[in-house]
Amino acid sequence: MPQLNGGGGDDLGANDEMISFKDEGEQEEKISENVSAERDLDDVKSSLVNESENNSSSSDSEQAERRPLLTRADTESYEKTRDYFHEALRRQQDGGFFKSPHYPGYPFLMIPDLTNPYLSNGSLSPSARTYLQMKWPLLDVPGSAGLKDSRSPTPGHLSNKVPVVQHAPHVHPLTPLITYSNEHFSPGTPPSHLSPEILDPKTGIPRTPHPSELSPYYPLSPGAVGSIAHPLSWFMPQQGQHMYSIPPGGFRHPYPALAMNASMSSLVSSRFSPHMVTPPPHSLHQTGIPHPAIVSPAIKQEPGGEHISPSMHAKSPVPPKKEEDKKPHIKKPLNAFMLYMKEMRAKVVAECTLKESAAINQILGRRWHSLSREEQAKYYELARKERQLHSQLYPGWSARDNYGKRKKRKRENKPDSKPEDFSIRSKKQCVQYLPSEKMCDSPASSHGSMLDSPATPSAALASPAAPAATHSEQAQPLSLTTKPEGRISSSSPSTPILTRPIPFTSLHHSMLSPPSPFHQAALHSHHALFQSQPLSLVTKPTE
DNA sequence: CCCCCTTTGAAGTCA
DNA sequence: TGACTTCAAAGGGGG
C-alpha cells in the first residue's frame, strides 16, 4: 500500500528509499546529469565540469526531452532488459507516479494481492507482464496482452493494445531497446519524456509499458506462463538478468510448453548454473513457481562453496549441512543500487576501458549519487517492489538465512581496527583504480561519492543548509578513491558526510515519497544553496 | 581455485 | 536505539 495512499505507503518502508537521494541538490544535477549520468562516462566527465552551468538552464521537463535524444547503440542486452523494466517503471512513475498528483490511487504500487506476480505475467515478456500486472493488477499487459492474452481483463480504457506496435514480440531483444533509446532507463533518463505515447491519453496514466519494457527482473515464471497461453517466442532473453533467475531446467512447472526455451535459459544462466536442479518444493512459490531468487544451495554457493553437481544435489555429503542443501538458497532481493548497477554496469564497461568490477562499481557509485532523485526513486521503487515480491514469495525468508553462506570474506576490520587495516587495504584498492577511473569518469568516484554524499540526504532535504556534496563529484578533483575507511566509512563517525540516505521512512511522512513539486521546489532551493556552498564541505575532513 | 575488492542499501545482530 | 555486520551483483586481480 505504500504508494497507494498518496505516496505514503509505508508498508514496506518503501518510501524511505525515496529519500535517499543523497543529494538533494542534485536535482539540478540530475538534469545535467540526466544527460551526463546516464550517458557515457565521458560525458560525465565533461559534464561534471560543466554541470553547474548546465544545471541552471535545464529543467526537468527539458531533461525529459533530452533523454530521448540520447541513444546508445551499445546498450547491452541485459541492460536492455532492465531498461525495459525501468522504462515501464519510469513511465508509470512519471506519468502516474511523479507527475500525476493522484497517483495515490495507483494500483500497481501496492500490489496487494499479487499473489504471484510471476504468475500473472505470462510468458510474454515475462517481465513485462509480470511487472505490469504488479503495477496494475487490473490491467492486462497492454502490449502483450493485446497480442497474447485474450483473456485480458484489462479495462478498456486502460488497456492499450496499441502499444504492441512498438515491436513485434519476436523482435530481437535488443531491438526494443533501440526503439526506445537505451538511455531511457539510464539514470538520467527522463521518465516521462519517454514517450508521450506512454501515457494513456485517457487516463493520463502511463500506458502500459511495452512488453519489451517489462522488467526483466521478473522472469517469467513458468507458472505465470501457464496462465497465459502465449508463445514465449517473443520473450526476450536478454541476458538481462532477472532479479531472480530461474533455473533453466529447474522449473517443474506444469506448463511444459512454456518451459524455458534456450533463450530463457541463457538468461537464467547468469545466475543459475546449468545443472541447477529444480528447487525443492518448498522453494517453490505457492504457485509452484520457483522464485528466481532461489538458488540451489550448492550452486549458488559462492565460489568457495561446495559445488554440487546435479547428481549430487540431492544429498548432502555432509550430514550437518543437509539442511542447507535442501534448502534452496534464496537470494536477497536486490536493493536499489544493485538494480542500478546491474543496469548500468554494462554500459559503463562498454564506455570505459575499465574492467575491474571494483573500479566499475566505484564509478557506478558515483553515478548513483549523481542521479536525480527521481531517477533514484525509480530504483528505490523497483527495489521496494522486489522486496515486496520477495516477501510474498518467501514469506518466511529472512536475510539471516543467508548469513554464513557466503564465506566471510568480510573484512574483519572492525571499526577499531580500521587504522591499520585501513592502511593496508587502502593501498591497493583505491589507488589502483584511479587511473582507470579517470579514463572514464572522474576518479573521485568512490571516494567522491562518499564525500559527495551530502550531509545526510535526509538532512539535506530537511535542511537546506546542509551542503550537499553532490556536486563534489564534478568539482572535486579527486578525492580519490581512497576511502580510508572502506565501507565503514559510511558509518564512520569521523566522516561528517553521510553517504547514505537516511531512511526515508522518517522523512516520507513529511514529504511525498515521490518528489512532489513541492518537494522539488524545496530541493531546488536547497540545491541552490548547495551550489553556493563551497565544495570544500564536501571534502571530507575526516581525519 | 578462491577470495578480495568496490559500491549502496536492506536487514540482521549486538550492546 | 544506534552501531556494526552480512549479503546482494559483478568480474578482474592476486595469492
Side-chain angles (χ1 to χ4, degrees), chain A residues 174-420:
Chain A
L174 297 183
T175 307
L177 291 183
I178 295 168
T179 307
Y180 308 127
S181 68
N182 299 335
E183 292 304 323
H184 42 296
F185 82 71
S186 60
T189 307
S192 51
H193 66 310
L194 279 180
S195 343
E197 67 268 27
I198 295 167
L199 297 180
D200 178 345
K202 295 175 182 179
T203 60
I205 295 169
R207 75 175 179 76
T208 313
H210 187 285
S212 61
E213 297 172 350
L214 296 189
S215 145
Y217 294 114
Y218 306 94
L220 50 115
S221 59
V225 173
S227 62
I228 299 165
H230 82 45
L232 295 181
S233 59
W234 80 276
F235 169 64
M236 304 177 164
Q238 310 177 349
Q239 8 178 319
Q241 303 140 343
H242 304 299
M243 288 290 236
Y244 307 100
S245 27
I246 297 170
F251 297 148
R252 286 181 181 180
H253 58 70
Y255 310 93
L258 296 181
M260 189 180 285
N261 58 24
S263 64
M264 289 179 69
S265 63
S266 67
L267 290 177
V268 172
S269 65
S270 63
R271 291 199 176 186
F272 297 87
S273 64
H275 49 281
M276 181 177 261
V277 176
T278 304
H282 59 283
S283 67
L284 297 179
H285 179 278
Q286 306 170 349
T287 62
I289 298 166
H291 189 283
I294 299 173
V295 175
S296 84
I299 297 166
K300 172 45 185 193
Q301 305 288 8
E302 297 304 330
E306 60 284 9
H307 296 290
I308 292 172
S309 67
S311 60
M312 299 175 59
H313 66 284
K315 64 8 174 272
S316 61
V318 178
K321 298 191 173 185
K322 280 185 180 178
E323 291 180 358
E324 289 181 358
D325 289 348
K326 291 187 173 188
K327 249 182 194 187
H329 178 80
I330 297 171
K331 294 182 178 181
K332 293 173 67 172
L334 301 187
N335 63 35
F337 179 70
M338 297 305 288
L339 291 172
Y340 172 75
M341 277 182 59
K342 289 191 95 173
E343 282 189 0
M344 300 302 296
R345 170 178 246 88
K347 183 188 253 186
V348 172
V349 170
E351 294 174 356
C352 296
T353 57
L354 294 177
K355 292 184 177 179
E356 296 182 33
S357 291
I360 301 235
N361 289 347
Q362 286 184 346
I363 292 170
L364 288 170
R366 264 187 92 238
R367 284 194 174 195
W368 172 253
H369 286 295
S370 68
L371 292 177
S372 67
R373 294 194 289 83
E374 292 179 357
E375 291 170 341
Q376 286 189 343
K378 291 186 290 185
Y379 291 94
Y380 282 112
E381 179 63 18
L382 200 60
R384 184 178 66 78
K385 288 178 184 162
E386 283 291 324
R387 289 196 301 277
Q388 262 188 335
L389 184 59
H390 193 279
S391 65
Q392 289 180 347
L393 291 176
Y394 312 102
W397 180 87
S398 163
R400 174 180 11 105
D401 296 344
N402 292 355
Y403 275 39
K405 295 205 164 178
R406 172 175 298 227
K407 289 182 167 200
K408 336 189 140 204
R409 50 217 279 94
K410 272 349 195 183
R411 36 208 77 202
E412 44 289 72
N413 66 343
K414 296 197 154 225
D416 300 344
S417 60
K418 290 191 272 196
E420 298 173 358

Side-chain angles (χ1 to χ4, degrees), chain A residues 23-180:
Chain A
D23 320 321
E24 305 331 3
E26 286 189 355
Q27 264 184 307
E28 293 180 356
E29 270 187 356
K30 74 179 175 191
I31 298 167
S32 57
E33 277 191 15
N34 58 7
V35 176
S36 64
E38 353 181 318
R39 338 181 228 2
D40 309 341
L41 293 180
D42 296 358
D43 291 349
V44 173
K45 293 189 223 175
S46 61
S47 68
L48 289 180
V49 174
N50 301 336
E51 265 183 355
S52 58
E53 291 117 9
N54 294 344
N55 296 348
S56 61
S57 66
S58 62
S59 64
D60 293 354
S61 63
E62 288 179 354
Q63 166 180 356
E65 293 176 356
R66 291 178 184 178
R67 289 250 176 105
L69 296 181
L70 300 178
T71 13
R72 180 173 43 104
D74 57 348
T75 324
E76 290 189 358
S77 62
Y78 91 67
E79 190 169 6
K80 292 172 183 179
T81 54
R82 290 185 179 278
D83 287 349
Y84 296 145
F85 180 53
H86 287 293
E87 277 277 332
L89 180 61
R90 176 172 301 167
R91 289 180 182 182
Q92 289 181 346
Q93 288 179 341
D94 289 350
F97 201 68
F98 294 107
K99 292 182 178 182
S100 36
H102 26 10
Y103 62 92
Y106 210 56
F108 92 91
L109 296 178
M110 301 317 298
I111 306 175
D113 299 353
L114 260 192
T115 339
N116 182 347
Y118 295 110
L119 293 181
S120 61
N121 42 342
S123 49
L124 65 143
S125 76
S127 47
R129 200 175 268 280
T130 307
Y131 197 69
L132 288 180
Q133 291 199 341
M134 291 178 63
K135 293 181 177 181
W136 294 292
L138 298 181
L139 297 181
D140 198 283
V141 175
S144 59
L147 296 179
K148 310 175 177 172
D149 195 350
S150 57
R151 70 184 169 95
S152 67
T154 307
H157 61 288
L158 294 181
S159 68
N160 33 340
K161 303 183 166 196
V162 178
V164 173
V165 177
Q166 295 190 344
H167 63 61
H170 44 295
V171 173
H172 182 285
L174 297 183
T175 307
L177 291 183
I178 295 168
T179 307
Y180 308 127

